[in-house]
Amino acid sequence: MPVIKTNVLTPLNENKFMFLRNVFITIRNKRISSVETSTAIHSFRDWTHLLCLPGFIDTHVHLSQYYIRGRNGNDLLKWLQENVFVEEARSRDQDYARKLSHLFFDALLQAGTTTSVIYTAPQSTACEIAFETARELGVRAMIGKTMMDTNSPADLLENSDQSFQESVALFQRWHQKTDLLEYIFSPRFAPVCTPKLMQRIADFTRANNAFIQTHLAENTDEISLVKSLFPDVGSYTEVYHKSGLLGPRTILGHAIHLSEKEIALLAETESKIAHCPDSNFFLKSGSFSLASIKKAGIDFALATDVGAGTTLSMLEMMKLCNYRQSDYRVKPAEAFYYATLAGARILGKELEIGSVTAGKFADLIFLDLNPDNFANGEDLLSHIIYLNREIKVKSVMIAGSTVFSA
Ligand code: GUN
Ligand code: FE
């Protein structure tokens, strides 16, 4: 029963966090059993020179694009054609896919991300390899193979039946078969998916309580393309709604350019949003209307969207989340929430992960930051967010097991 004496910074809700100095975290059966100011146990690890946070939750990231971060920024559709599709085709080579998976998960842990929601390249083998690597390294993740059964380059285009059946087979092989791993159905976006494929995904996921992720309204040319491909449907959001894809277990990446009617539809269906500030500005896609989405009561959380995002650092996403809003000041407490507990919430896991709370899984990170010199939690949290490049993640624990040490 490990006991760690340390300092804790944890979100409580969207507006509140808690800072505790010199407390004892006791871990039992993969979970935090207590966080207390004293302990009866004599032997504990003294990590009072470090700062413990809940592990970060990255709600939208493409494993298959890790190598092409920062490459040839361009408008979305061009960037996909010229960079992403070429790179994702390389994952057909299983040695390449394995190397990429290892690099990706190592970097993810080094960044302090303990839960991630991942798209792999479309090849089923690449997804299988991602699951195997995640299992080997002990990371918590939802992983799905990207699906694309129309309007795609020949070396990525899938037969519709095969795309669906391979996804179901991966779901059956991996979903909740270990403590940490789940499957998420991942149709890339409406321009490359047939209505038939989207409907089959909707039917299957509804019958099996499974999650879906896709992209929505990221770029204005993308929206025009969707309008031309689905001329009888009123909006991009309605294309997904008509196919049955919207709902409380659906995570939509970006969701930047939305009408009031579309925002209302997302709220009504309780769909979730992965907000990707780095990516949105790398591709000049536009800015996320954080205040309107918040006002509509739609749950959203932060994400890196590597490779359109340039880094796996969720600390940097907290900073960019504020920097990228010109008319709304994102408070440190909010940014912290969006990088942790909000992610847990959109995944339906807010009772399991996302904060340093007794009863939750011990998904903890320890920053190399001695809080002695900080007068209070506010100063400390601001420092972590805005000076994040000066801070190293020293140790990462998932479900009570140490998975990374610097
Ligand atoms: N839209 C469809 N596919 C992608 C992708 O891989 N990255 C981003 N940023 N947007 C997309
Ligand atoms: Fe994406």
Side-chain angles (χ1 to χ4, degrees):
M1 189 172 62
V3 178
I4 305 169
K5 185 179 187 189
T6 190
N7 309 289
V8 171
L9 193 65
T10 182
L12 295 174
N13 59 42
E14 195 167 350
N15 302 305
K16 264 199 196 144
F17 64 93
M18 182 166 68
F19 172 47
L20 304 167
R21 289 186 205 265
N22 298 325
V23 288
F24 296 87
I25 303 177
T26 304
I27 295 162
R28 188 182 288 153
N29 294 334
K30 305 178 182 180
R31 294 181 186 261
I32 301 164
S33 71
S34 62
V35 181
E36 293 169 312
T37 50
S38 63
T39 181
I41 294 187
H42 294 295
S43 93
F44 53 81
R45 206 178 300 164
D46 186 346
W47 275 3
T48 47
H49 57 297
L50 303 178
L51 179 67
C52 175
L53 269 62
F56 294 117
I57 300 178
D58 185 345
T59 60
H60 178 129
V61 58
H62 300 260
L63 181 157
S64 51
Q65 298 170 19
Y66 184 65
Y67 268 139
I68 58 160
R69 283 170 299 139
R71 191 180 297 174
N72 303 328
N74 209 330
D75 289 351
L76 173 69
L77 299 177
K78 260 203 186 134
W79 178 77
L80 286 174
Q81 288 288 348
E82 291 173 6
N83 299 279
V84 171
F85 294 163
V86 178
E87 174 64 12
E88 290 191 354
R90 296 181 73 191
S91 284
R92 191 170 302 282
D93 174 346
Q94 296 187 28
D95 290 338
Y96 185 77
R98 202 169 299 280
K99 192 171 121 197
L100 190 55
S101 274
H102 273 277
L103 270 176
F104 172 83
F105 283 114
D106 284 345
L108 200 66
L109 291 175
Q110 197 172 331
T113 296
T114 51
T115 298
S116 47
V117 188
I118 298 171
Y119 291 77
T120 71
Q123 308 85 4
S124 188
T125 46
C127 188
E128 184 78 22
I129 288 167
F131 270 110
E132 286 168 3
T133 313
R135 180 177 58 190
E136 197 179 307
L137 298 179
V139 309
R140 192 185 298 283
M142 298 176 83
I143 306 175
K145 84 179 204 80
T146 297
M147 302 165 88
M148 39 204 301
D149 71 334
T150 186
N151 296 325
S152 304
D155 50 0
L156 289 182
L157 178 69
E158 302 175 284
N159 166 285
S160 191
D161 285 344
Q162 196 182 340
S163 177
F164 179 69
Q165 281 153 11
E166 284 181 0
S167 299
V168 170
L170 285 160
F171 171 84
Q172 284 165 345
R173 202 151 51 244
W174 288 100
H175 186 64
Q176 296 179 343
K177 293 296 190 284
T178 63
D179 284 352
L180 303 176
L181 300 174
E182 296 189 8
Y183 193 77
I184 180 161
F185 284 78
S186 309
R188 172 161 238 135
F189 66 159
V192 299
C193 295
T194 58
K196 184 182 149 214
L197 179 64
M198 293 192 279
Q199 278 157 20
R200 288 179 86 179
I201 295 166
D203 292 344
F204 185 88
T205 51
R206 191 162 297 116
N208 291 279
N209 284 334
F211 274 75
I212 301 166
Q213 61 180 346
T214 189
H215 296 82
L216 170 67
E218 177 176 3
N219 165 291
T220 49
D221 290 339
E222 171 205 13
I223 293 168
S224 305
L225 177 60
V226 171
K227 284 220 165 89
S228 71
L229 292 168
F230 301 87
D232 303 331
V233 186
S235 69
Y236 195 166
T237 305
E238 280 173 63
V239 169
Y240 289 146
H241 190 46
K242 255 191 98 175
S243 303
L245 283 186
L246 299 184
R249 288 187 205 85
T250 298
I251 304 168
L252 302 155
H254 307 282
I256 299 173
H257 307 280
L258 298 171
S259 67
E260 278 183 28
K261 206 169 146 195
E262 288 178 281
I263 291 177
L265 185 54
L266 293 179
E268 185 192 308
T269 55
E270 296 177 45
S271 302
K272 317 297 186 206
I273 295 174
H275 167 38
C276 317
D278 191 18
S279 161
N280 293 346
F281 279 77
F282 178 66
L283 297 178
K284 298 207 180 293
S285 301
S287 11
F288 180 65
S289 305
L290 196 148
S292 324
I293 295 297
K294 200 172 147 100
K295 192 166 153 226
I298 299 167
D299 285 330
F300 67 95
L302 280 168
T304 62
D305 194 28
V306 155
T310 55
T311 172
L312 289 171
S313 169
M314 291 297 289
L315 288 163
E316 180 71 3
M317 292 313 113
M318 290 197 270
K319 172 173 162 178
L320 296 181
C321 175
N322 183 35
Y323 277 19
R324 302 314 195 198
Q325 295 296 317
S326 47
D327 56 358
Y328 182 86
R329 188 175 295 279
V330 181
K331 295 188 299 292
E334 282 177 285
F336 192 24
Y337 173 77
Y338 299 142
T340 54
L341 203 47
R345 185 173 160 83
I346 74 170
L347 303 181
K349 298 183 194 305
E350 62 181 319
L351 299 177
E352 304 287 0
I353 53 174
S355 63
V356 186
T357 306
K360 289 195 178 185
F361 282 111
D363 286 14
L364 307 172
I365 64 171
F366 295 85
L367 303 182
D368 194 2
L369 181 64
N370 189 331
D372 279 356
N373 297 328
F374 292 85
N376 55 55
E378 280 73 21
D379 292 355
L380 183 60
L381 183 56
S382 291
H383 178 91
I384 290 169
I385 295 173
Y386 294 104
L387 279 69
N388 70 70
R389 284 167 203 208
E390 297 174 21
I391 297 169
K392 283 218 153 32
V393 176
K394 193 84 182 146
S395 182
V396 177
M397 189 182 273
I398 296 177
S401 295
T402 299
V403 289
F404 170 83
S405 312

